[in-house]
C-alpha cells in the first residue's frame, strides 16, 4: 500500500507505463505544458489515412507520476479509435480509467487529454482536414508560441518574453524572436515554430527572424 493516495492502477501505469517514447515519423504530434505546474507531455500518433483510425499512439513525459500514468492510459484509450472518437475522450474518462486521481492532480489528466487533442489537431491541419475554418489571428499565433520552448531555460517563448513581434498579412506571418541568430537552439526553435504555425489552413508562409 502506497503512502500516497494513488490508486493501484495509477501506480501500475506509473511503474510500467505503456507506449512510452518518441515515435519516429509520426503523422501527428504535440507538446503541451501545464500552466498549473510547468510539467510537459508530448503525444505522437500514427493514423490510417483510409479509415482515420489511430493505429499507434505514444508519449513522452516531463512530469509527475500522474502525468506519466495519464500519458500511458490516454495512449491506450486512443489506439483503435477514429480521430473523431478519440477527440471525445475527456479528462474525466482518463481519470476514471486510472481508478481516480486526487483532485489536486486533476490537471495532470487535463494535460494528457490536451496533448492527445493537439496531436489530432496537428494531423488534421497537416492533411487539410480542419472542418471549422476560423481565420488565424495574431492571438492564435501567440497562443501557439506558448508551446515552443527554449530548452536552455525550460520556458516557452511567450513566458520567456522572447517574442518581440508578430505580423500577419494575407496569410504571411513574420515572427521576430529575441535571441541571437547563433543561439545554440536557434534551429530547434525555428523548426518548432514552423511546425506549430505553418500547417494552419490559411497560412501561406512563415518567416522567423532572430534578433538580439
Ligand atoms: Fe503537473 Fe502532474 S503535477 S502534470
Amino acid at each position: 500500500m502506497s503512502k500516497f493516495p494513488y490508486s493501484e492502477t495509477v501506480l501500475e501505469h506509473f511503474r510500467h507505463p505503456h507506449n512510452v517514447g518518441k515515435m519516429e515519423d509520426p503523422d501527428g504530434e504535440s507538446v503541451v505544458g501545464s500552466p498549473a505546474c510547468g510539467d510537459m507531455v508530448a503525444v505522437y500518433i500514427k493514423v490510417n489515412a483510409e479509415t482515420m483510425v489511430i493505429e499507434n499512439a505514444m508519449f513522452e513525459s516531463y512530469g509527475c507520476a500522474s502525468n506519466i500514468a495519464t500519458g500511458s492510459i490516454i495512449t491506450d484509450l486512443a489506439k483503435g479509435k477514429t480521430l473523431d472518437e478519440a477527440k471525445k475522450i475527456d479528462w474525466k474518462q482518463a481519470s476514471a480509467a486510472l481508478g481516480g486521481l486526487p483532485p489536486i492532480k486533476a490537471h495532470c489528466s487535463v494535460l494528457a487529454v490536451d496533448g492527445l487533442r493537439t496531436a489530432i489537431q496537428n494531423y488534421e491541419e497537416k492533411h487539410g482536414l480542419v472542418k471549422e475554418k476560423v481565420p488565424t489571428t495574431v492571438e492564435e499565433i501567440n497562443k501557439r508560441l506558448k508551446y515552443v520552448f527554449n530548452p536552455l531555460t525550460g520556458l516557452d517563448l511567450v513566458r520567456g518574453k522572447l517574442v518581440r513581434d508578430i505580423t500577419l498579412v494575407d496569410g504571411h506571418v513574420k515572427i521576430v524572436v529575441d535571441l541571437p541568430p547563433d543561439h545554440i537552439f536557434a534551429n530547434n526553435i525555428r523548426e518548432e515554430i514552423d511546425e506549430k504555425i505553418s500547417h494552419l489552413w490559411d497560412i501561406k508562409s512563415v518567416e522567423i527572424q532572430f534578433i538580439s
Side-chain angles (χ1 to χ4, degrees):
M1 184 74 190
S2 164
K3 215 170 163 47
F4 296 105
Y6 275 138
S7 73
E8 274 310 310
T9 319
V10 171
L11 291 173
E12 179 56 27
H13 277 273
F14 168 54
R15 292 190 186 118
H16 308 287
H18 307 172
N19 320 308
V20 166
K22 181 166 175 15
M23 185 186 283
E24 290 311 319
D25 216 10
D27 296 325
E29 62 187 303
S30 67
V31 180
V32 295
S34 166
C37 62
D39 288 340
M40 285 190 274
V41 65
V43 177
Y44 309 94
I45 52 172
K46 271 266 172 227
V47 179
N48 182 319
E50 302 272 294
T51 58
M52 292 292 145
V53 167
I54 297 175
E55 292 186 332
N56 196 10
M58 292 175 74
F59 80 102
E60 290 179 291
S61 164
Y62 186 63
C64 69
S66 312
N67 187 312
I68 292 167
T70 44
S72 173
I73 205 84
I74 203 88
T75 43
D76 271 355
L77 288 172
K79 279 198 266 184
K81 288 199 169 57
T82 63
L83 295 179
D84 282 341
E85 287 166 351
K87 272 188 231 172
K88 293 193 193 116
I89 300 171
D90 63 13
W91 69 271
K92 286 192 187 138
Q93 229 175 315
S95 167
L98 284 171
L101 278 172
I104 199 162
K105 296 285 180 185
H107 74 268
C108 312
S109 356
V110 172
L111 181 62
V113 167
D114 197 23
L116 176 63
R117 287 190 183 158
T118 308
I120 294 173
Q121 189 184 25
N122 176 249
Y123 178 87
E124 292 183 333
E125 286 173 1
K126 279 182 182 165
H127 294 79
L129 298 171
V130 177
K131 288 170 199 136
E132 280 174 44
K133 293 205 177 344
V134 183
T136 301
T137 58
V138 169
E139 287 70 41
E140 176 62 26
I141 293 170
N142 194 57
K143 194 169 120 202
R144 286 175 180 237
L145 295 179
K146 289 184 184 158
Y147 295 110
V148 177
F149 294 86
N150 174 5
L152 222 47
T153 60
L155 287 178
D156 66 78
L157 296 189
V158 176
R159 275 196 302 158
K161 301 199 184 343
L162 296 178
V163 184
R164 193 183 280 193
D165 193 31
I166 303 173
T167 47
L168 171 61
V169 181
D170 289 340
H172 300 281
V173 184
K174 184 169 169 193
I175 297 166
V176 183
V177 180
D178 209 342
L179 281 176
D182 59 350
H183 185 271
I184 176 171
F185 289 114
N187 280 344
N188 304 55
I189 293 172
R190 215 177 262 285
E191 278 170 25
E192 284 289 311
I193 295 176
D194 196 72
E195 167 69 27
K196 301 275 180 296
I197 313 288
S198 64
H199 304 299
L200 283 159
W201 70 277
D202 56 350
I203 295 304
K204 298 180 191 133
S205 71
V206 181
E207 187 190 338
I208 304 156
Q209 209 178 357
F210 280 66
I211 291 179
S212 60

